Amino acid sequence: MNIIGLKQLRQDTTRYAELVSKGQSFLIIKRSKPLFKIVPADTISEVWEEVIDFTKIKKGGVVIKDLLARL
């Protein structure tokens, strides 16, 4: 895992986003203390749980106002 400073990430966000999309991970630090990690989305897929896919109910999804009105 690569370590970069928060300031460095802010100054070159596009570059780091591209590197993450290619599979690299980064630990972001501020004042020598870890703040957060940036990892490719496909590495955390096992964390996400699909509760409901509204596109299966209606092509293109559903209007949130209609959904809330039925609750």
Side-chain angles (χ1 to χ4, degrees):
M1 179 171 308
N2 301 300
I3 299 173
I4 61 171
L6 181 60
K7 182 178 180 180
Q8 190 177 355
L9 175 64
R10 275 194 231 136
Q11 291 174 340
D12 209 355
T13 305
T14 304
R15 177 176 169 246
Y16 290 109
E18 185 177 317
L19 292 171
V20 169
S21 72
K22 292 180 180 178
Q24 291 191 35
S25 299
F26 295 92
L27 177 63
I28 311 305
I29 62 170
K30 181 179 181 182
R31 296 184 180 162
S32 301
K33 294 183 181 179
L35 289 176
F36 55 90
K37 291 180 188 177
I38 298 177
V39 297
D42 61 351
T43 62
I44 59 170
S45 61
E46 65 275 357
V47 176
W48 291 98
E49 176 184 349
E50 181 181 303
V51 178
I52 189 165
D53 182 355
F54 290 104
T55 61
K56 292 178 182 173
I57 296 171
K58 180 181 174 187
K59 186 177 180 178
V62 296
V63 179
I64 190 69
K65 288 181 183 179
D66 295 342
L67 179 64
L68 292 175
R70 292 177 183 218
L71 296 176

